[in-house]
Amino acid sequence: MSKPVVSIWGTPPGAQPAPAQADPWNTKWDLRNGTAWVFFSSSGQTNVKRPVILADGFAIGPTDPHLFYRGLENGDYPFISSLRSSGFDVVLLGFKNRSASILDNADVAIECIRKTLAGPERTAPLTVGGFSMGGMVTRYALAKMEKQGEDHQTHTYLSYDTPHRGAWLPLGVQAFAHFMKDRWGTTNPLLSLYSDLINSPAARQMLRWHLATGASATLDVTAGQDQARTDFLAALEQVGNWPNRPRLMGVANGTGTGAGNGVPADDTAMETPGPEVAVQLRAQGEGRKTVAQMRELGRTEVSVHTTGFPELDGAPGGLFPKAPLLDDAANFGMAAMLAQIVNDRPAELAHNASTFVPTISAVASADIDDPTALWAKINPDSSDLHDFHCATTNEGHTAMTRELGQWTVVRLKNG
Protein backbone atom coordinates (compact mmCIF):
# COMPACT_ATOMS: atom_id res chain seq x y z
CA MET A 1 0.00 0.00 0.00
CA SER A 2 1.24 3.49 -0.80
CA LYS A 3 2.05 5.92 1.96
CA PRO A 4 -0.62 8.49 2.82
CA VAL A 5 -0.70 11.64 0.73
CA VAL A 6 -1.22 13.73 3.84
CA SER A 7 1.28 13.35 6.69
CA ILE A 8 -0.59 14.39 9.82
CA TRP A 9 2.57 14.60 11.85
CA GLY A 10 4.74 16.78 9.65
CA THR A 11 8.44 16.63 10.51
CA PRO A 12 9.02 15.54 14.12
CA PRO A 13 11.09 17.81 16.40
CA GLY A 14 14.83 17.22 16.02
CA ALA A 15 14.54 15.38 12.69
CA GLN A 16 17.38 15.87 10.24
CA PRO A 17 16.53 18.01 7.18
CA ALA A 18 15.92 16.09 3.98
CA PRO A 19 18.73 16.14 1.40
CA ALA A 20 18.39 18.55 -1.49
CA GLN A 21 16.47 17.16 -4.46
CA ALA A 22 15.42 18.30 -7.90
CA ASP A 23 12.11 20.10 -8.11
CA PRO A 24 9.59 18.07 -10.15
CA TRP A 25 7.27 21.02 -10.86
CA ASN A 26 7.56 23.47 -13.76
CA THR A 27 6.93 26.67 -11.83
CA LYS A 28 5.56 27.90 -8.52
CA TRP A 29 3.32 30.71 -7.41
CA ASP A 30 4.01 32.53 -4.17
CA LEU A 31 0.75 33.25 -2.39
CA ARG A 32 -0.02 35.02 0.84
CA ASN A 33 0.29 32.30 3.51
CA GLY A 34 0.76 29.60 0.92
CA THR A 35 2.39 28.37 -2.28
CA ALA A 36 1.17 26.66 -5.45
CA TRP A 37 3.40 24.27 -7.40
CA VAL A 38 2.39 23.94 -11.05
CA PHE A 39 2.90 20.92 -13.31
CA PHE A 40 2.16 21.59 -16.99
CA SER A 41 0.72 18.84 -19.16
CA SER A 42 3.15 19.32 -22.05
CA SER A 43 6.73 20.42 -22.61
CA GLY A 44 7.29 23.99 -23.66
CA GLN A 45 4.11 25.12 -21.93
CA THR A 46 4.35 28.28 -19.83
CA ASN A 47 0.76 28.80 -18.64
CA VAL A 48 -2.05 26.61 -17.35
CA LYS A 49 -4.67 25.58 -19.90
CA ARG A 50 -6.76 22.84 -18.26
CA PRO A 51 -6.15 23.26 -14.52
CA VAL A 52 -6.77 20.88 -11.63
CA ILE A 53 -6.14 22.57 -8.26
CA LEU A 54 -5.57 20.15 -5.36
CA ALA A 55 -5.10 21.46 -1.82
CA ASP A 56 -2.96 19.85 0.87
CA GLY A 57 -4.49 18.55 4.08
CA PHE A 58 -4.11 18.96 7.83
CA ALA A 59 -0.73 18.58 9.52
CA ILE A 60 1.79 20.43 11.64
CA GLY A 61 3.71 23.24 9.97
CA PRO A 62 3.97 24.20 6.29
CA THR A 63 3.39 22.02 3.26
CA ASP A 64 6.48 20.13 2.08
CA PRO A 65 6.01 20.08 -1.71
CA HIS A 66 8.36 17.16 -2.28
CA LEU A 67 6.54 14.96 0.23
CA PHE A 68 3.18 16.07 -1.18
CA TYR A 69 4.31 15.21 -4.71
CA ARG A 70 5.80 11.83 -3.76
CA GLY A 71 2.67 10.80 -1.93
CA LEU A 72 0.65 11.39 -5.08
CA GLU A 73 3.11 10.13 -7.66
CA ASN A 74 5.30 7.38 -6.23
CA GLY A 75 2.83 5.06 -4.53
CA ASP A 76 0.42 2.55 -6.00
CA TYR A 77 -0.75 4.90 -8.73
CA PRO A 78 1.10 7.80 -10.45
CA PHE A 79 -1.71 10.30 -10.02
CA ILE A 80 0.03 13.46 -11.19
CA SER A 81 1.53 11.80 -14.27
CA SER A 82 -1.83 10.28 -15.12
CA LEU A 83 -3.53 13.66 -14.93
CA ARG A 84 -0.84 15.30 -17.03
CA SER A 85 -0.92 12.60 -19.70
CA SER A 86 -4.69 13.13 -19.85
CA GLY A 87 -4.13 16.79 -20.73
CA PHE A 88 -4.57 18.36 -17.29
CA ASP A 89 -2.27 20.92 -15.68
CA VAL A 90 -1.87 20.09 -11.98
CA VAL A 91 -1.67 22.84 -9.37
CA LEU A 92 -0.70 21.54 -5.92
CA LEU A 93 -1.78 24.07 -3.31
CA GLY A 94 0.14 24.22 -0.04
CA PHE A 95 -0.25 26.26 3.11
CA LYS A 96 2.16 28.11 5.36
CA ASN A 97 0.35 26.62 8.36
CA ARG A 98 -1.66 23.43 7.70
CA SER A 99 -3.20 23.46 11.17
CA ALA A 100 -4.48 27.05 10.92
CA SER A 101 -8.19 27.79 10.69
CA ILE A 102 -9.90 26.33 7.63
CA LEU A 103 -11.44 29.76 7.05
CA ASP A 104 -7.99 31.38 6.90
CA ASN A 105 -6.58 28.79 4.51
CA ALA A 106 -9.69 29.15 2.35
CA ASP A 107 -8.44 32.66 1.57
CA VAL A 108 -5.22 31.11 0.27
CA ALA A 109 -7.30 28.82 -1.94
CA ILE A 110 -9.31 31.77 -3.28
CA GLU A 111 -6.09 33.60 -4.16
CA CYS A 112 -4.87 30.50 -6.01
CA ILE A 113 -8.18 30.17 -7.91
CA ARG A 114 -8.05 33.83 -8.95
CA LYS A 115 -4.47 33.47 -10.16
CA THR A 116 -5.44 30.41 -12.17
CA LEU A 117 -8.40 32.23 -13.73
CA ALA A 118 -6.11 35.07 -14.79
CA GLY A 119 -3.94 32.73 -16.87
CA PRO A 120 -3.76 34.03 -20.46
CA GLU A 121 -3.89 30.60 -22.12
CA ARG A 122 -6.54 28.82 -20.05
CA THR A 123 -8.96 26.98 -22.33
CA ALA A 124 -11.09 25.01 -19.86
CA PRO A 125 -13.01 25.47 -16.61
CA LEU A 126 -11.34 24.50 -13.35
CA THR A 127 -11.35 21.39 -11.24
CA VAL A 128 -10.84 22.43 -7.60
CA GLY A 129 -10.58 20.25 -4.50
CA GLY A 130 -8.22 18.69 -2.05
CA PHE A 131 -7.13 15.93 0.25
CA SER A 132 -8.64 15.56 3.72
CA MET A 133 -8.86 19.08 5.19
CA GLY A 134 -7.92 20.45 1.76
CA GLY A 135 -11.34 19.34 0.57
CA MET A 136 -12.99 21.37 3.35
CA VAL A 137 -10.80 24.39 2.58
CA THR A 138 -11.73 24.39 -1.11
CA ARG A 139 -15.39 23.55 -0.42
CA TYR A 140 -15.67 26.67 1.73
CA ALA A 141 -13.59 28.76 -0.68
CA LEU A 142 -15.80 27.99 -3.69
CA ALA A 143 -19.00 28.53 -1.69
CA LYS A 144 -17.66 31.85 -0.36
CA MET A 145 -16.82 33.04 -3.86
CA GLU A 146 -20.36 32.23 -5.00
CA LYS A 147 -21.82 34.02 -1.99
CA GLN A 148 -19.78 37.10 -2.92
CA GLY A 149 -21.02 36.94 -6.50
CA GLU A 150 -17.61 35.95 -7.85
CA ASP A 151 -17.44 33.52 -10.78
CA HIS A 152 -14.94 30.77 -9.90
CA GLN A 153 -15.49 29.06 -13.27
CA THR A 154 -15.17 25.65 -11.63
CA HIS A 155 -16.80 22.69 -13.34
CA THR A 156 -15.88 20.00 -10.80
CA TYR A 157 -15.27 20.05 -7.08
CA LEU A 158 -13.22 17.05 -5.87
CA SER A 159 -12.73 15.82 -2.30
CA TYR A 160 -10.39 12.97 -1.38
CA ASP A 161 -11.32 11.34 1.97
CA THR A 162 -12.47 14.69 3.30
CA PRO A 163 -14.24 14.75 6.71
CA HIS A 164 -17.42 16.47 5.47
CA ARG A 165 -19.36 15.24 8.53
CA GLY A 166 -16.42 15.31 10.92
CA ALA A 167 -13.33 13.28 11.82
CA TRP A 168 -12.82 10.89 14.73
CA LEU A 169 -9.90 10.64 17.15
CA PRO A 170 -10.46 8.37 20.18
CA LEU A 171 -11.23 10.46 23.24
CA GLY A 172 -8.94 8.36 25.39
CA VAL A 173 -6.09 9.10 22.99
CA GLN A 174 -6.87 12.81 23.12
CA ALA A 175 -6.95 12.83 26.92
CA PHE A 176 -3.69 10.88 27.16
CA ALA A 177 -1.94 13.27 24.75
CA HIS A 178 -2.87 16.23 26.96
CA PHE A 179 -2.00 14.25 30.09
CA MET A 180 1.52 13.64 28.77
CA LYS A 181 2.05 17.26 27.75
CA ASP A 182 0.84 18.56 31.11
CA ARG A 183 3.27 16.36 33.03
CA TRP A 184 6.32 15.88 30.78
CA GLY A 185 5.96 18.29 27.86
CA THR A 186 8.71 20.62 29.07
CA THR A 187 11.26 17.78 29.08
CA ASN A 188 10.76 16.58 25.49
CA PRO A 189 9.02 18.47 22.65
CA LEU A 190 7.76 15.22 21.19
CA LEU A 191 5.63 14.76 24.32
CA SER A 192 3.77 17.99 23.45
CA LEU A 193 3.41 17.37 19.72
CA TYR A 194 0.26 15.23 19.80
CA SER A 195 -1.53 17.54 22.25
CA ASP A 196 -0.65 20.64 20.21
CA LEU A 197 -1.92 18.96 17.06
CA ILE A 198 -5.26 18.10 18.70
CA ASN A 199 -5.72 21.64 20.04
CA SER A 200 -4.87 23.43 16.79
CA PRO A 201 -7.60 25.53 15.15
CA ALA A 202 -8.17 23.18 12.21
CA ALA A 203 -8.35 20.08 14.43
CA ARG A 204 -10.97 21.73 16.63
CA GLN A 205 -12.99 22.54 13.51
CA MET A 206 -12.80 19.05 12.00
CA LEU A 207 -13.03 16.71 15.00
CA ARG A 208 -16.62 15.76 15.72
CA TRP A 209 -15.71 15.36 19.42
CA HIS A 210 -12.80 17.21 20.97
CA LEU A 211 -11.08 17.26 24.36
CA ALA A 212 -8.93 20.26 25.16
CA THR A 213 -7.14 18.96 28.25
CA GLY A 214 -6.20 15.87 30.21
CA ALA A 215 -8.44 15.72 33.24
CA SER A 216 -7.04 15.73 36.75
CA ALA A 217 -9.88 13.49 37.93
CA THR A 218 -12.71 11.45 36.48
CA LEU A 219 -14.00 12.91 33.19
CA ASP A 220 -17.41 12.02 31.79
CA VAL A 221 -17.90 12.81 28.10
CA THR A 222 -21.25 12.91 26.33
CA ALA A 223 -22.35 14.22 22.93
CA GLY A 224 -21.15 17.71 22.07
CA GLN A 225 -18.52 19.50 20.04
CA ASP A 226 -15.89 22.19 20.38
CA GLN A 227 -17.06 25.78 19.94
CA ALA A 228 -14.60 26.19 17.07
CA ARG A 229 -16.44 23.45 15.16
CA THR A 230 -19.81 25.00 15.92
CA ASP A 231 -18.56 28.36 14.63
CA PHE A 232 -17.02 26.80 11.52
CA LEU A 233 -20.22 24.94 10.61
CA ALA A 234 -22.15 28.18 11.07
CA ALA A 235 -19.73 29.99 8.75
CA LEU A 236 -20.11 27.19 6.19
CA GLU A 237 -23.87 27.44 6.40
CA GLN A 238 -23.70 31.21 5.86
CA VAL A 239 -22.07 30.68 2.45
CA GLY A 240 -24.55 28.01 1.41
CA ASN A 241 -22.84 24.92 2.89
CA TRP A 242 -21.73 23.70 -0.56
CA PRO A 243 -20.81 25.43 -3.81
CA ASN A 244 -23.86 25.19 -6.07
CA ARG A 245 -22.34 25.48 -9.54
CA PRO A 246 -19.78 22.64 -9.76
CA ARG A 247 -20.37 18.94 -10.00
CA LEU A 248 -19.57 17.57 -6.53
CA MET A 249 -17.31 14.52 -6.71
CA GLY A 250 -15.45 12.59 -4.01
CA VAL A 251 -13.73 9.41 -2.93
CA ALA A 252 -13.46 7.61 0.40
CA ASN A 253 -10.57 5.49 1.67
CA GLY A 254 -13.12 3.44 3.59
CA THR A 255 -15.50 0.78 2.35
CA GLY A 256 -19.03 1.55 1.28
CA THR A 257 -20.32 -1.94 2.10
CA GLY A 258 -20.49 -1.59 5.88
CA ALA A 259 -17.40 -3.75 6.42
CA GLY A 260 -15.27 -2.45 9.29
CA ASN A 261 -11.52 -2.55 9.86
CA GLY A 262 -11.44 -5.27 12.53
CA VAL A 263 -10.81 -3.18 15.65
CA PRO A 264 -13.23 -4.66 18.24
CA ALA A 265 -15.34 -2.26 20.27
CA ASP A 266 -14.28 -1.85 23.92
CA ASP A 267 -11.08 -3.83 23.29
CA THR A 268 -7.80 -2.84 24.96
CA ALA A 269 -5.82 -0.97 22.32
CA MET A 270 -2.74 0.10 24.32
CA GLU A 271 -1.57 -0.70 27.83
CA THR A 272 1.48 -0.29 30.03
CA PRO A 273 1.91 -0.76 33.81
CA GLY A 274 4.56 1.92 34.23
CA PRO A 275 6.83 2.49 36.05
CA GLU A 276 6.48 6.28 35.57
CA VAL A 277 3.08 6.32 33.89
CA ALA A 278 0.53 3.52 33.87
CA VAL A 279 -2.13 3.68 31.17
CA GLN A 280 -4.82 1.65 29.48
CA LEU A 281 -6.62 2.92 26.37
CA ARG A 282 -9.63 1.09 24.97
CA ALA A 283 -11.45 1.20 21.62
CA GLN A 284 -14.74 3.05 21.67
CA GLY A 285 -17.86 1.08 22.58
CA GLU A 286 -21.55 1.90 22.94
CA GLY A 287 -23.19 2.62 26.28
CA ARG A 288 -21.23 3.99 29.22
CA LYS A 289 -17.63 2.94 28.66
CA THR A 290 -14.24 3.63 30.21
CA VAL A 291 -11.93 4.54 27.34
CA ALA A 292 -8.85 5.65 29.32
CA GLN A 293 -7.23 5.08 32.70
CA MET A 294 -4.00 6.98 33.37
CA ARG A 295 -1.84 7.31 36.46
CA GLU A 296 1.46 9.04 37.09
CA LEU A 297 3.62 7.43 39.76
CA GLY A 298 2.48 8.68 43.17
CA ARG A 299 -0.58 10.56 41.88
CA THR A 300 -4.31 9.90 41.65
CA GLU A 301 -5.59 7.95 38.65
CA VAL A 302 -7.33 9.85 35.86
CA SER A 303 -10.12 8.08 34.00
CA VAL A 304 -12.24 9.02 30.99
CA HIS A 305 -15.76 7.67 30.57
CA THR A 306 -18.00 8.11 27.54
CA THR A 307 -21.76 7.83 27.14
CA GLY A 308 -23.80 7.68 23.94
CA PHE A 309 -21.00 7.13 21.43
CA PRO A 310 -21.14 4.70 18.48
CA GLU A 311 -18.49 1.99 17.97
CA LEU A 312 -16.31 4.34 15.95
CA ASP A 313 -12.80 2.88 16.04
CA GLY A 314 -13.63 -0.18 13.98
CA ALA A 315 -16.14 1.49 11.65
CA PRO A 316 -15.69 1.68 7.86
CA GLY A 317 -13.43 4.57 6.95
CA GLY A 318 -9.96 5.85 6.19
CA LEU A 319 -7.49 4.79 8.87
CA PHE A 320 -5.57 7.32 10.96
CA PRO A 321 -2.31 8.16 9.11
CA LYS A 322 0.93 6.52 10.17
CA ALA A 323 4.10 8.50 10.77
CA PRO A 324 6.90 6.96 8.66
CA LEU A 325 9.60 8.83 10.61
CA LEU A 326 8.13 7.65 13.93
CA ASP A 327 8.12 3.89 13.37
CA ASP A 328 4.76 4.09 11.55
CA ALA A 329 2.93 5.05 14.73
CA ALA A 330 -0.72 6.03 14.17
CA ASN A 331 -3.20 7.21 16.82
CA PHE A 332 -2.98 4.44 19.44
CA GLY A 333 0.59 3.81 18.27
CA MET A 334 1.61 7.38 19.01
CA ALA A 335 0.15 7.06 22.51
CA ALA A 336 2.28 3.95 22.99
CA MET A 337 5.35 5.82 21.77
CA LEU A 338 4.77 8.66 24.24
CA ALA A 339 4.41 6.19 27.10
CA GLN A 340 7.59 4.41 26.03
CA ILE A 341 9.57 7.65 26.09
CA VAL A 342 8.65 8.24 29.73
CA ASN A 343 8.76 4.62 30.94
CA ASP A 344 11.85 3.66 28.93
CA ARG A 345 10.20 0.37 27.98
CA PRO A 346 7.74 -0.66 25.24
CA ALA A 347 4.00 -0.50 25.81
CA GLU A 348 1.70 -3.31 24.74
CA LEU A 349 0.01 -2.19 21.53
CA ALA A 350 -2.90 -4.29 20.27
CA HIS A 351 -4.20 -1.76 17.73
CA ASN A 352 -2.07 0.90 16.05
CA ALA A 353 -4.60 2.68 13.83
CA SER A 354 -8.37 3.08 14.02
CA THR A 355 -10.85 4.89 11.80
CA PHE A 356 -10.09 8.57 11.27
CA VAL A 357 -12.58 9.66 8.59
CA PRO A 358 -15.64 7.37 8.55
CA THR A 359 -16.90 6.57 5.07
CA ILE A 360 -20.25 8.27 5.67
CA SER A 361 -18.34 11.46 6.48
CA ALA A 362 -16.13 11.26 3.38
CA VAL A 363 -19.14 10.83 1.07
CA ALA A 364 -21.35 13.18 3.13
CA SER A 365 -24.18 10.68 3.43
CA ALA A 366 -24.93 10.76 7.18
CA ASP A 367 -23.67 12.09 10.50
CA ILE A 368 -21.08 9.95 12.25
CA ASP A 369 -23.16 10.15 15.44
CA ASP A 370 -25.60 7.69 13.83
CA PRO A 371 -24.51 4.12 14.75
CA THR A 372 -26.84 2.53 12.19
CA ALA A 373 -25.62 4.64 9.26
CA LEU A 374 -22.01 4.33 10.40
CA TRP A 375 -21.99 0.58 9.76
CA ALA A 376 -24.51 0.37 6.90
CA LYS A 377 -23.99 0.02 3.17
CA ILE A 378 -23.84 3.47 1.60
CA ASN A 379 -26.99 4.56 -0.19
CA PRO A 380 -25.89 6.77 -3.13
CA ASP A 381 -29.11 8.77 -2.93
CA SER A 382 -28.26 9.87 0.62
CA SER A 383 -25.00 11.60 -0.33
CA ASP A 384 -24.60 15.35 -0.81
CA LEU A 385 -22.10 14.50 -3.58
CA HIS A 386 -23.25 13.96 -7.14
CA ASP A 387 -20.72 11.19 -7.75
CA PHE A 388 -18.44 9.24 -5.41
CA HIS A 389 -16.44 6.05 -5.07
CA CYS A 390 -15.55 4.05 -1.94
CA ALA A 391 -12.50 1.84 -1.50
CA THR A 392 -12.76 -1.94 -1.61
CA THR A 393 -10.97 -2.22 1.74
CA ASN A 394 -10.42 0.20 4.61
CA GLU A 395 -7.03 1.78 3.91
CA GLY A 396 -4.85 4.63 5.09
CA HIS A 397 -6.45 8.07 5.11
CA THR A 398 -5.74 9.86 1.78
CA ALA A 399 -3.71 6.91 0.46
CA MET A 400 -3.39 7.28 -3.30
CA THR A 401 -4.37 3.83 -4.53
CA ARG A 402 -4.82 2.64 -8.10
CA GLU A 403 -8.50 2.02 -7.45
CA LEU A 404 -9.30 5.56 -6.26
CA GLY A 405 -6.76 7.39 -8.40
CA GLN A 406 -7.80 5.72 -11.64
CA TRP A 407 -11.50 6.25 -10.92
CA THR A 408 -10.84 9.95 -10.31
CA VAL A 409 -8.81 10.47 -13.50
CA VAL A 410 -11.38 8.66 -15.64
CA ARG A 411 -14.22 10.73 -14.19
CA LEU A 412 -12.34 13.99 -14.80
CA LYS A 413 -11.46 12.97 -18.37
CA ASN A 414 -15.06 12.13 -19.13
CA GLY A 415 -16.21 15.47 -17.78
Side-chain angles (χ1 to χ4, degrees):
M1 182 182 295
S2 61
K3 292 180 179 178
V5 174
V6 177
S7 173
I8 292 292
W9 305 106
T11 302
Q16 294 297 315
Q21 50 196 305
D23 295 337
W25 49 87
N26 297 108
T27 189
K28 72 173 183 175
W29 302 336
D30 292 324
L31 308 170
R32 183 178 181 183
N33 295 321
T35 307
W37 297 273
V38 184
F39 301 76
F40 296 129
S41 61
S42 60
S43 60
Q45 192 174 330
T46 57
N47 290 287
V48 295
K49 297 180 179 180
R50 197 180 178 194
V52 176
I53 300 173
L54 298 170
D56 197 6
F58 171 76
I60 288 178
T63 296
D64 182 323
H66 289 281
L67 287 177
F68 194 11
Y69 170 80
R70 289 202 301 269
L72 290 169
E73 184 66 13
N74 298 339
D76 292 347
Y77 182 71
F79 188 59
I80 294 180
S81 293
S82 298
L83 285 171
R84 296 171 82 182
S85 65
S86 299
F88 294 103
D89 304 309
V90 181
V91 181
L92 296 185
L93 174 60
F95 305 106
K96 183 178 180 180
N97 182 358
R98 290 175 289 176
S99 61
S101 168
I102 293 171
L103 303 180
D104 291 341
N105 278 333
D107 289 337
V108 183
I110 290 173
E111 183 182 356
C112 182
I113 292 168
R114 288 171 177 163
K115 187 169 182 65
T116 305
L117 293 176
E121 297 181 31
R122 186 175 57 85
T123 58
L126 280 59
T127 294
V128 177
F131 300 89
S132 187
M133 181 199 72
M136 293 303 297
V137 167
T138 49
R139 172 182 162 184
Y140 180 82
L142 292 171
K144 182 179 180 180
M145 293 178 79
E146 290 183 2
K147 183 72 172 180
Q148 296 173 160
E150 187 172 358
D151 186 3
H152 50 61
Q153 299 182 44
T154 298
H155 177 270
T156 300
Y157 162 78
L158 170 66
S159 66
Y160 201 106
D161 214 40
T162 292
H164 291 296
R165 301 291 182 92
W168 165 251
L169 180 61
L171 293 169
V173 171
Q174 294 188 47
F176 182 62
H178 302 318
F179 180 90
M180 295 298 288
K181 178 180 179 178
D182 290 346
R183 288 155 175 79
W184 291 282
T186 57
T187 64
N188 186 328
L190 190 58
L191 297 175
S192 296
L193 178 66
Y194 208 171
S195 174
D196 293 342
L197 191 71
I198 293 166
N199 277 339
S200 67
R204 289 175 179 265
Q205 291 168 333
M206 288 189 295
L207 286 173
R208 173 59 188 85
W209 296 277
H210 175 269
L211 290 180
T213 184
S216 57
T218 299
L219 178 64
D220 289 290
V221 185
T222 55
Q225 62 188 13
D226 191 86
Q227 186 62 45
R229 177 166 176 79
T230 300
D231 293 344
F232 168 68
L233 293 177
L236 191 60
E237 187 66 30
Q238 286 173 3
V239 297
N241 203 23
W242 292 91
N244 291 314
R245 298 172 194 166
R247 170 183 58 159
L248 307 179
M249 194 172 87
V251 299
N253 285 112
T255 67
T257 61
N261 60 39
V263 176
D266 202 32
D267 196 47
T268 300
M270 190 277 280
E271 187 171 29
T272 179
E276 297 299 325
V277 59
V279 58
Q280 182 187 77
L281 303 180
R282 302 184 69 84
Q284 185 63 56
E286 289 192 86
R288 178 174 167 81
K289 296 295 181 181
T290 300
V291 295
Q293 293 174 292
M294 308 168 288
R295 179 179 54 79
E296 182 185 359
L297 182 65
R299 298 183 67 172
T300 304
E301 181 178 89
V302 174
S303 56
V304 179
H305 310 286
T306 61
T307 304
F309 284 76
E311 297 177 357
L312 282 149
D313 287 305
L319 301 173
F320 197 92
K322 297 178 181 179
L325 296 179
L326 296 172
D327 298 326
D328 279 343
N331 48 5
F332 287 117
M334 181 58 72
M337 178 172 287
L338 298 184
Q340 180 174 336
I341 290 172
V342 172
N343 288 330
D344 198 27
R345 64 181 64 177
E348 294 183 16
L349 183 64
H351 307 294
N352 182 24
S354 70
T355 294
F356 182 46
V357 176
T359 302
I360 59 173
S361 180
V363 303
S365 64
D367 291 332
I368 65 175
D369 312 56
D370 185 341
T372 301
L374 192 66
W375 288 86
K377 182 178 180 179
I378 300 295
N379 177 1
D381 294 335
S382 67
S383 174
D384 291 341
L385 303 175
H386 300 133
D387 195 12
F388 66 84
H389 187 75
C390 301
T392 301
T393 60
N394 296 297
E395 56 205 18
H397 172 59
T398 73
M400 177 51 68
T401 64
R402 178 166 295 276
E403 176 186 17
L404 299 185
Q406 201 165 51
W407 181 89
T408 301
V409 172
V410 169
R411 283 296 197 277
L412 292 180
K413 284 173 63 177
N414 292 341

